[in-house]
Amino acid sequence: MSLLVVGSMAFDSIKSPFGEVEKVVGGSATYFSIAASYFAPVRLVSVVGRDFPRRTIDKLSSRGIDLRGLKIADGETFHWKGYYEYDLNTAHTVRTDLNVFRDFVPDLPAEWRDTPYVFLGNIDPRLQLDILAQVRNPRIVALDTMNFWIEKSPQLLREVVRNVDVLVINEAEVRQLTGEFNLVRASRMLMDMGPKRVVIKRGEYGVLHLSDGEIFAAPAYPLETIFDPTGAGDSFAGGFMGYLASRGTRELAERDYRLATMYGSAIASFTVEAFSTERLEALSRDDIAMRVSSFRSLTEFRV
Ligand code: AMP
């Protein structure tokens, strides 16, 4: 089944203890759509400036990602500048230049309004609400956000949270959004607002997945080489939602959500092995399947 994503497409300038890059391609919708395209047909809604590389757009399109919702506007592409210290779990923002996103009004192609799976990627909550108002009866809507929007648009963001099924968010943001340190209690508070599930990304500590009466904990894959954690969260979300969308029309069970969490974790573990989307875009189905089975042996035990 099809999967719709709205989110940022960006130039990222990143410094990590392992190197530095200037204006490489990034953005929540970019990472998400590449990751999800391994599983399901993806429809992308975003905006870039005329400075965005044609090569990247062609590459997305050649993966079958439907770009009818991508606007190429006069002006510069969104730019994020950030750095990581040895604690690769926390991204520090140096600059956020919204550029063409400032005046962006998303307009869903009419035939996309019935898309069953919707991911509201990290972007202005105003745009996330715009998309929500345009889709009809989606099966699952998931949401991601970050500190920038929690600080800038808390009211609008709460409105979005109230109207989604799944929150896919990192641990610092869960705490910031709720004012509660304990992640289990914070998730309960969020579920009381509307979402039925909260999927907490915890960087190298993996993922905590909470729903009514269930908690599932998945580790992150212990890698020897991590270059750049940028995009890990969005790649996780792409694998997670992509897997759910690939399940077809039947009712989703707890098992599907757990497997989706493992597929998301597998995909994210590749993203961090290189800067930008370099590693993420070069995977085979075997690579993904092998990593999922490595996860199985990593966590298997008997009593
Ligand atoms: P993550 O997957 O959480 O590491 O997100 C990484 C991506 O988020 C980067 O490629 C950035 O371009 C993008 N990003 C950073 N700040 C923002 C923002 N305020 N709004 C939307 N996207 C952002």
Side-chain angles (χ1 to χ4, degrees):
M1 290 182 125
S2 300
L3 170 54
L4 176 80
V5 54
V6 62
S8 56
M9 290 179 76
F11 285 129
D12 290 342
S13 301
I14 304 154
K15 204 169 161 178
S16 86
F18 313 109
E20 193 170 350
V21 285
E22 248 323 274
K23 292 208 162 179
V24 294
V25 167
S28 54
T30 313
Y31 283 107
F32 180 94
S33 59
I34 298 173
S37 68
Y38 287 102
F39 301 92
V42 180
R43 298 168 167 177
L44 182 147
V45 178
S46 192
V47 61
V48 292
R50 300 211 179 272
D51 53 354
F52 197 76
R54 186 74 234 175
R55 208 163 26 89
T56 305
I57 295 176
D58 292 343
K59 214 157 42 182
L60 297 179
S61 169
S62 73
R63 307 185 70 89
I65 298 168
D66 193 333
L67 299 175
R68 272 175 293 164
L70 174 65
K71 189 169 170 199
I72 301 174
D74 285 327
E76 287 179 52
T77 298
F78 177 96
H79 176 225
W80 178 69
K81 184 170 179 161
Y83 68 93
Y84 300 88
E85 296 184 87
Y86 274 102
D87 169 12
L88 294 174
N89 292 344
T90 314
H92 301 278
T93 295
V94 177
R95 279 178 78 133
T96 303
D97 302 316
L98 293 177
N99 297 336
V100 287
F101 266 104
R102 205 163 286 117
D103 303 316
F104 179 50
V105 181
D107 189 16
L108 270 199
E111 56 287 17
W112 285 12
R113 287 174 187 250
D114 295 307
T115 310
Y117 287 84
V118 176
F119 185 68
L120 306 174
N122 177 21
I123 197 61
D124 192 332
R126 170 182 65 84
L127 300 177
Q128 296 176 322
L129 283 175
D130 258 352
I131 294 295
L132 268 183
Q134 294 181 58
V135 290
R136 279 187 297 241
N137 294 322
R139 292 188 92 198
I140 292 183
V141 181
L143 165 71
D144 187 12
T145 190
M146 68 179 283
N147 50 8
F148 185 85
W149 302 111
I150 299 174
E151 284 153 31
K152 214 168 144 69
S153 296
Q155 296 312 329
L156 281 184
L157 183 59
R158 274 164 197 284
E159 178 67 26
V160 191
V161 172
R162 276 195 281 276
N163 287 288
V164 302
D165 306 293
V166 184
L167 207 56
V168 185
I169 184 171
N170 82 29
E171 69 176 330
E173 285 142 14
V174 169
R175 291 179 172 134
Q176 191 181 11
L177 197 56
T178 57
E180 166 62 56
F181 185 83
N182 181 287
L183 294 178
V184 180
R185 271 207 295 268
S187 302
R188 298 253 167 276
M189 289 164 74
L190 291 166
M191 287 191 275
D192 284 344
M193 287 170 71
K196 292 185 269 304
R197 287 173 188 275
V198 178
V199 182
I200 306 176
K201 299 170 284 181
R202 307 182 62 225
E204 65 178 314
Y205 306 114
V207 171
L208 203 55
H209 183 145
L210 296 103
S211 58
D212 190 23
E214 299 264 5
I215 301 186
F216 177 55
Y221 193 74
L223 292 166
E224 274 192 48
T225 342
I226 301 181
F227 265 104
D228 172 20
T230 310
D234 299 304
S235 308
F236 169 85
F240 178 83
M241 286 294 280
Y243 179 79
L244 293 179
S246 76
R247 299 288 78 203
T249 50
R250 67 184 179 76
E251 196 70 33
L252 293 171
E254 180 64 23
R255 181 173 183 275
D256 297 304
Y257 285 98
R258 290 189 175 209
L259 263 171
T261 303
M262 298 324 297
Y263 276 97
S265 302
I267 295 268
S269 74
F270 289 111
T271 296
V272 302
E273 287 181 329
F275 276 104
S276 190
T277 57
E278 209 178 293
R279 184 71 184 101
L280 173 65
E281 67 193 41
L283 300 177
S284 68
R285 286 186 191 277
D286 267 2
D287 292 331
I288 300 170
M290 271 161 62
R291 189 127 311 166
V292 169
S293 67
S294 308
F295 267 110
R296 191 166 286 128
S297 42
L298 181 68
T299 50
E300 190 162 17
F301 70 93
R302 290 177 216 281
V303 281

